[in-house]
Structures are given as structure tokens and as C-alpha cells.
Amino acid sequence: MSAVTVDYRNLLAIDEGEAGVDPARLAGDLGSRFREAHEDVQRARRGGSMGFFDLPRALDAAARIRRAAAGLRGRFDDVVVLGIGGSALGTRTLRDALGAGDRARGTSAAAAPHPRLHVADNVDPHSIGALLNRLDMRRTFFNVVSKSGSTTETLALYRVVAERLARDVGPDQAREHLLFTTDPRRGPLRGLAGEVGIPTLPVPPNVGGRFSVLSAVGLFPAAAAGLDVTAVLQGAARMEERCRTGELTRNPAGVVATLLHRADVERGQRVHVFMPYCDRLRSFALWVQQLWGESLGKATGLDGRPAATGPTPLPAAGATDQHSLLQLFMEGPADKVVCFLTVDAADDPIPIDDAPAPLPAFEFPEGHTLHQLIAIEHAATAAALRTRKRPNLTIRLAKLDAGALGELILLFQAATVYAGFLYGVDPLTQPGVELGKRYVHGLLGRSGYDPPRMEEANHPWQV
Amino acid sequence: MSAVTVDYRNLLAIDEGEAGVDPARLAGDLGSRFREAHEDVQRARRGGSMGFFDLPRALDAAARIRRAAAGLRGRFDDVVVLGIGGSALGTRTLRDALGAGDRARGTSAAAAPHPRLHVADNVDPHSIGALLNRLDMRRTFFNVVSKSGSTTETLALYRVVAERLARDVGPDQAREHLLFTTDPRRGPLRGLAGEVGIPTLPVPPNVGGRFSVLSAVGLFPAAAAGLDVTAVLQGAARMEERCRTGELTRNPAGVVATLLHRADVERGQRVHVFMPYCDRLRSFALWVQQLWGESLGKATGLDGRPAATGPTPLPAAGATDQHSLLQLFMEGPADKVVCFLTVDAADDPIPIDDAPAPLPAFEFPEGHTLHQLIAIEHAATAAALRTRKRPNLTIRLAKLDAGALGELILLFQAATVYAGFLYGVDPLTQPGVELGKRYVHGLLGRSGYDPPRMEEANHPWQV
């Protein structure tokens, strides 16, 4: 019943002269190595550090989230998430893949339309100003999302929004336009929300930001926008079951992690391209980029030794980027693996009919649809890469719906923690961003933080 | 009078222990090598193969483009570009950087608003269907853009659009909703347009797709949307003048090309990150990605020998991706150079005031704006990377307007052809995409083309 298939034929050396992994190794050294990584992950799960695996079955939490979200319908036209990184990318993935926004509004004549969903994940005054100026504050709800409760950018956005809300609806009423999603035990958001009566939803303490899409972080705004979050969780649960086996060739996440890891460490293919042939999955590729890049890019190994590992995840979009990046993938350094994502079914495939006279029709083979064309573009590109000995794999979705998206999300989360153990690094941390945060505090003038040394404005090394 | 400054301090080894290039080499071997590349480019310009350098001063062509675009105002609410790759990315860059869309509409009560500008650059039936369903065909104009006149995806989109236009406005009237931008000498678009009376604009034969933004390819839709294309060209002309010198440290494009090339070939830093701290420049980073990746990723050198060169261009967005990619940049393999883009001035910096009671304010240093915060985020990130010996450079815009954008566009076009000669490859070709195109024709059933060999649907290498 799974909607997701991982096709890894083009990562294997089967026919004479092909590049890739010898398939005999799947039941040999790679299978053994994966079994160890699987056991490491199982151990970590039992130790309680990988809470994301349990979210698909956290049905009480999901019911609470759905109830909180249901209260917004009819009262608000717009929901804005203030969050950044893991507090934004998963929400945008759900919205863009499942079509909140245009489609969710006014689908039923009787019921009020679901609010539109926006994600504000930068402190650019131009884009924030443009967004806020478009909104009617009296009909807008803000979901402030920060696991730590102390994310500088998010708190800055909150202050800007709070001032506008207070001005347009009054400071007391403003509380009814706010919900904080944060750690249930600590942090500024948590503490102050309780004091003034702003509702909150928890991010489970053992669920990190980039693994939090199936917690309230992603599910509350998605449910508010009318998306079927129950089906997303059911899909994720199906994939979680498929990933319970330590047998490599039966575990989709194991195959993805093992073969991408091997491509990097054995053949120097450390640029991992994530390329959906489906515009609705462009945001998903950005979500994977954070998950894969931030989890595996580490200076220190689990054994405490210097590592400096980590593939570079590169999002791309098919068929579009065949006209932007394919030249490099085909002829540049052989340092890439392309992971395609395709969708088999289309609601409306759109026939490519002849243009009616007197309009010029141009020669075009008869009887095709846009849906067939984009499938052909993928097949041709995968085959061309294989001909040039450029490895690639394809993750096929039978259709793109809430269940399939849930499967895909869990697939990549599981693949990421497997890959962490294969690379020998802790996939759950991000120690490298602390220095930049300290410098931000220093430049903002916070006491206890030194700003970095800056060059004079008129130093000579500029042109 | 230039609005663009390249600050390359953080690519140099000046203080004890710093990574980067010895600054003495700028007047030494690197200066000599650049002078040769500059002379190669001058020779190619004289030979007529680098027409993009001349577009900023092609004022007759620009006037013709503006006249054609002016005729759309008041007659059409929406202009849709059908194009892909170099026929789309530059147009989107102009639109997103200069704010067509919301801002261009209804700026004057007397005059009709400028049309909204859309770019359709994929054959995904879901997104094309959603776009076409939102539009009123009677008030929509389509600009079909293809240098060769034979781009499969673009011709497929044209056929879909032609059918809808014929249905909604009639096949004869439909011609008044179309303009083809294509090679003036040849190709299907050119030939058929003349026969049936569809107007055309030329892409100069010596201007390749990814170098064509300052031709009718980008300027016609931009002018139709009300953008100041004259100021864009004036900015580009200013930068073209700055790039006439063979003296490395006085040539901004020379510095960018030389130092990024050296980072790659001397230190293995072959992932080149383009990271604007300005949401309006996100599309610009995608335009640079095509320009840099497709121009430099080549299997064969100018000397005919195997090359397999080419950096991997990675677009990112500041401050957002500090919460997605910075961990990898700081602690992963030292295989990257980050090229930041910043904007000094903001129209509305947006103060980060205290939230009014009873809303929680959270501790936040007094007196800052969002504009200052995003500047601080950039400064902190650049400094943190430098502390970790991760090289970076910053291209600063005094402000983001049409002139500054024109400068930036020409800067990167010139840097790209310099880099081509430094890498020893032809930056104007893309031979590697031909195999994929042949496979597409084969799978579409076109005679004379063989489809690739495909696996059986139920082959064993899937899970």
C-alpha cells in the first residue's frame, strides 16, 4: 500500500563498464554495515533521543493540534508562521505539496474557507513590510515557532508583528491572534506566554528543529490551512514500519543512506542533488537540503576525532534545470549523485494539442500530454546521466497526496539518521552555528558577547 | 558613481594564520594570468562572439523593445513569458529585484496599471493548469521566448496556450496576444511567425541564452511590467566600462573570476555559494547559478583535451539559510567559497520596537531595525566563516535599483567569461545537454531518434 518506491538501478554497476556499486555488496559488506547503523538507530530510539520516529503515532498530540487549528476557521483569513530553518521549511513543504492557499479557500459553499498560509522566515524589511501591508491585521493569526524560544530573527519578527497587532486590534485583543509553538519546559516564549495568556503548543523536547515537521511545528499551520494532517501522519507511520528492518534491500531509507554515503566516501561524489520533476515538491527539496546538510556536515566524529564530513545538498527542479544545471551534471567533475523525485499520476495531464489555424502549430508528435512530457524529460535525463556514467536514483510517488508526502518525509528523516551513523557523526546537533550567533549578539550590543573584529570601511581590498 | 563594490578581504591571507591568497600575488602571477584572460576576452569580443557586452549600448534595439512593450499597457492585465533556462531566469531576476507585480500596478491614478508578469518555465501540468485557470485569456498576453525556436518544453507550452487562446478569444484574435522572441535569422518560431503575422523581437545571433537578459529576452517583459529598462542598461554600461581594464585589482569582474577560480584549483573549493541577504535577489542567485554552472562545467578544454572542470554553484538566502546551511559551511569539508550579496540602503527599515503590554516583549537590544539586523546577520556570518578559515567575499550594493541591478548583471556576465578562459574552457557552449535532448525526441517518438534503453518496470533494484 506504500505510494513510494526507491529505484536505485542507476547507482549499481550491473552491465559491462557501468559505474556504481557492485550489487553483490548489497548482501555483503554494505548490508552488514547498514545492519550496524540500523542497530545504532534502534539503540538511540530506545534511548529516547529520536522522538521524530514516534510522532506519526502521537495521536493525542495530533488531535490537540487539530482542535487548536479548527478554531481559526471563519475567524481568520490569513495565518502567518514566524519561524526560520526547521520552524519554516517543513511547513512550507506541507503547504506547497498539498496545495493550501488557492485551493483551500472556498471549496465548500457552506463552510467558511480555510485561512491562507504564509511563512515569514527572514528579517528582510522589504519582504516583511510587503507581507504585513497586504494583510488585514483584524483577520490575521500569527503562529510564532521556535523550539528554543530564543531565536533572534523570530523574536524580532514577533516584536514587529506585536506592534502592528496592538495598533490595529488593540493590545488586549492581540493575544487572540497569537499562538506560540515551543519547548514545553523552558525558554522565553514558554515563560511569557503563560504569564499573559497566550496559547501554546509543544515541540517535544526530544525532537530537534529540522526533525519537527510532524509535530505542532508543521501540523498546526497545515491543519489551520485545511490540509489533511491525519493522512500525513498515517503515511509517515507506513514508512516508519517499512524502516524497521535491518535488511538493507528491504529498507528504503537504508538504501538511500547507504548508497549516497558510499558514493561520497568511495567515489568522491559529495554533491547530492535533490531534483523533483514536480513543482509542488520544490519546497520539499529545500527541506531535505537542511535535513541532509545540517545533520551530516560536522567537524567532529562520534568517536571525538576531527571529521569535516558532510555532503553538499543541492536542490534542483526538473525539467526546468535541465536548461540550467544539466550541462554541469553531465560534463563537469564527476562529484555528484542526482536523486530524482517523480510523481506517476496527474489529476489533469493537459493535452498538447495542435494550435488551431491560423496560429502556427509547429511540428510536435501527436497524442502527448504535459504530464507525459515531464515524465519523458525525467526518463531521458536519468538515462543520459547513466550513459555518461553519472550515478542517479529515482524516488517515485504513485501520486502526490497527504499520505505519500508523509511517507516521503519519514523516508528522508530515517535516511538522515542512518547516514549520520554511516558517516560516524551525530545527526542531531548543529554546534557550528554558535559562533555566528555569538557574533550577532555582540554586534547587537548584548552584554557578555564580543563583536567580531571588523575591517575599516575604506580598507584597500575592495573594488 | 557605481553602486557595486566587491570586498574580497576575506579571500586573502593577510594576518598570521589566515587562509586564502597571498595579496602580493594580485600584482604578481594572478595579475599576469588575469591580464592574459582579459586579452582573450577582448579578442573574442573583437571576433564578434560576445555580443552581450554590447547590449547595454544597443539603444535602437532597446527603444524598439520599449515601444513594443508600451502597446500592452491598458490592453492586458497579465503578461506570461513561456521560456525555460536562459529565457526565464533573467526575466524573473528583473521582476523580483525591481518589484513588478504588486508595486507596478496602479501606481498612478491617471494611467492604466502595468500588467503583472508571470514566467512559465516548466511543463508541470499542475502548475501550468493552475496559472492558466487564474488568468482571463481575453486580458492576457503571451511572450514565447526561445533563441533556437525549437525548445521542446516551450513549444509544448505554446501549443497548450494557443488552444486556450483560440477557444477564449478566437483563433484570429489570438495572434494579437502573442509575441515571439527568437533568433532573427532562423528557427521554427521565426519562420511561422512571419507567415501568420505574429510580431517578433530578435535575440542577437551572437548572444547566447544565458547571456541574453539584456536583450529582448529580458527587456521586453520587464518593460511591459513597467520596469525601468533604460536604467538597467545604463547600469550595465557603467560596469562594462569598469571591466575594460586588464589590471586585476581595478576590474571587479576580474577579481571575482580570479579569486573564485584560484579557490577551486588551488584549494579544492569548488562549491561556490551565492548568498544574497536580500529576498529580492534570490532569483538573481538562481540566474548566477545557471550562468556560472553551465558556462564553466565542461568536459573538454579550449585546447581540446579532456577537462571535466566546473565549480558547483549553490544558491542560498541570508539570513534564512544560517538556519539551514551554515552548519555545513562552518564544519563540513572546506570545499566552499561563499559569495555574499548585501544592500546598504532600505526604503523602510522597520523598527524592532517593544511589544506593547500586556503582550510579552522579550529581551531585545533597544533601537534596532530589521534592516540593521539583517546587516548584522551578514557581518556576523562572514566573520564567523573567516574565523573558521572559510573563505568568503561580499558584493555590496549601495541600494537596489534598476541601475545597480544592471551593474550586477554585467559584473557576473563578465566574470563568467573571464573564468571560462582561466579554467581553459569555452564559456559560451553547452554540448552536454544534447544527449538528453536526443533521448527526449526518441521517447516522444520522433523519427530519426532512438529512445534510451529502459529497465523493465518490475526490475529487482527497487524498494
Side-chain angles (χ1 to χ4, degrees), chain A residues 6 15 121-122 124 127 153 158-159 279 290 297 320 323 327 354 360 362 377 386 432 439 453 455 463, chain B residues 6 15 121-122 124 127 153 158-159 279 290 297 320 323 327 354 360 362 377 386-387 432 453 455 463:
Chain A
V6 177
D15 296 335
D121 67 347
N122 203 0
D124 182 328
S127 37
E153 297 89 341
Y158 161 76
R159 287 168 69 108
D279 289 337
Q290 183 206 21
T320 305
H323 297 263
Q327 166 67 30
D354 271 2
F362 306 113
E377 299 268 354
R386 170 173 155 178
Y439 284 170
R453 184 170 66 84
E455 301 293 326
V463 57
Chain B
V6 177
D15 295 335
D121 66 347
N122 203 359
D124 182 328
S127 39
E153 297 90 342
Y158 160 77
R159 287 167 69 109
D279 289 337
Q290 184 206 21
T320 305
H323 298 261
Q327 167 67 30
D354 270 0
F362 306 112
E377 300 267 354
R386 171 173 153 178
T387 301
R453 183 171 66 84
E455 300 294 326
V463 56

Side-chain angles (χ1 to χ4, degrees), chain A residues 19-378:
Chain A
V21 165
D22 177 352
R25 295 179 64 194
L26 297 172
D29 68 317
L30 299 186
S32 308
R33 184 71 194 83
F34 170 67
R35 191 173 291 277
E36 288 169 30
H38 181 71
E39 282 163 14
D40 289 336
V41 169
Q42 297 307 107
R43 201 170 301 117
R45 283 187 69 170
R46 287 194 298 273
S49 71
M50 291 194 177
F52 72 87
F53 275 117
D54 304 318
L55 293 174
R57 292 186 177 79
L59 298 180
D60 288 351
R64 183 178 161 203
I65 292 164
R66 281 202 312 274
R67 279 196 303 275
L72 272 54
R73 193 173 184 184
R75 293 170 56 214
F76 298 101
D77 297 328
D78 295 274
V79 170
V80 182
V81 169
L82 308 181
I84 192 165
S87 300
L89 292 161
T91 300
R92 201 177 271 135
T93 294
L94 295 172
R95 179 194 66 184
D96 293 352
L98 303 179
D102 289 337
R103 292 203 314 168
R105 293 178 63 75
T107 45
S108 154
H114 292 285
R116 282 174 295 254
L117 177 54
H118 313 267
V119 179
D121 67 347
N122 203 0
V123 289
D124 182 328
H126 189 276
S127 37
I128 293 298
L131 173 64
L132 294 180
N133 289 339
R134 279 203 306 275
L135 299 171
D136 176 354
M137 283 289 147
R138 296 164 304 177
R139 301 279 299 171
T140 303
F141 189 87
F142 293 90
N143 179 204
V144 185
V145 185
S146 168
K147 171 90 187 291
S148 70
S150 60
T151 310
T152 299
E153 297 89 341
T154 303
L155 294 187
L157 293 178
Y158 161 76
R159 287 168 69 108
V160 168
V161 161
E163 192 275 333
R164 300 248 181 158
L165 271 178
R167 184 189 71 193
D168 290 358
V169 308
D172 285 309
Q173 288 281 10
R175 286 175 291 186
E176 294 174 23
H177 293 246
L178 288 164
L179 183 143
F180 295 168
T181 304
T182 189
D183 191 290
R185 304 164 308 175
R186 57 178 158 238
L189 277 182
R190 166 67 47 192
L192 290 168
E195 289 175 25
V196 300
I198 290 172
T200 62
L201 284 169
V203 192
N206 66 346
V207 174
R210 61 185 174 273
F211 291 90
S212 69
V213 56
L214 300 182
S215 76
V217 171
L219 296 189
F220 172 75
L227 305 184
D228 187 352
V229 300
T230 305
V232 173
L233 292 174
Q234 287 165 344
R238 281 196 299 275
M239 183 57 72
E240 189 274 330
E241 265 185 53
R242 294 180 68 195
C243 296
R244 285 186 190 175
T245 174
E247 192 181 332
L248 175 56
T249 54
R250 291 181 50 225
N251 186 320
V255 167
V256 170
T258 296
L259 294 178
L260 289 180
H261 172 251
R262 280 294 131 183
D264 179 350
V265 299
E266 294 185 357
R267 298 190 299 282
Q269 289 154 350
R270 69 158 68 131
V271 177
H272 295 171
V273 181
F274 298 97
M275 188 167 184
Y277 275 68
C278 173
D279 289 337
R280 285 167 289 166
L281 290 174
R282 288 184 186 222
S283 296
F284 177 80
L286 292 168
W287 174 83
V288 170
Q289 183 183 37
Q290 183 206 21
L291 188 66
W292 202 246
E294 199 168 51
S295 300
L296 306 177
K298 294 289 154 67
T300 310
L302 285 167
D303 56 7
R305 293 195 202 161
T309 62
T312 295
L314 179 68
T320 305
D321 288 339
Q322 294 173 206
H323 297 263
S324 168
L325 293 168
L326 185 59
Q327 166 67 30
L328 177 68
F329 298 168
M330 289 286 284
E331 299 208 328
D335 62 359
K336 298 174 186 70
V337 182
V338 182
C339 175
F340 296 108
L341 294 122
T342 64
V343 180
D344 287 345
D347 291 338
D348 177 5
I350 305 190
I352 306 172
D353 291 330
D354 271 2
L359 295 178
F362 306 113
E363 186 277 323
F364 204 95
E366 286 307 305
H368 288 285
T369 66
L370 287 184
H371 180 63
Q372 286 169 331
L373 178 57
I374 201 167
I376 283 172
E377 299 268 354
H378 159 260

Side-chain angles (χ1 to χ4, degrees), chain B residues 333-352:
Chain B
D335 62 359
K336 298 175 186 66
V337 182
V338 183
C339 175
F340 296 109
L341 294 123
T342 64
V343 180
D344 288 344
D347 290 338
D348 177 6
I350 304 192
I352 307 173

Side-chain angles (χ1 to χ4, degrees), chain B residues 323-398:
Chain B
H323 298 261
S324 167
L325 294 168
L326 185 59
Q327 167 67 30
L328 177 68
F329 298 169
M330 289 287 284
E331 299 208 327
D335 62 359
K336 298 175 186 66
V337 182
V338 183
C339 175
F340 296 109
L341 294 123
T342 64
V343 180
D344 288 344
D347 290 338
D348 177 6
I350 304 192
I352 307 173
D353 292 331
D354 270 0
L359 295 178
F362 306 112
E363 185 277 322
F364 205 94
E366 287 306 304
H368 287 286
T369 65
L370 287 184
H371 180 63
Q372 285 169 333
L373 177 58
I374 201 167
I376 283 172
E377 300 267 354
H378 159 259
T381 302
L385 287 168
R386 171 173 153 178
T387 301
R388 289 291 298 242
K389 302 192 199 304
R390 305 288 163 128
N392 60 90
L393 77 162
T394 295
I395 298 176
R396 281 201 314 275
L397 275 61

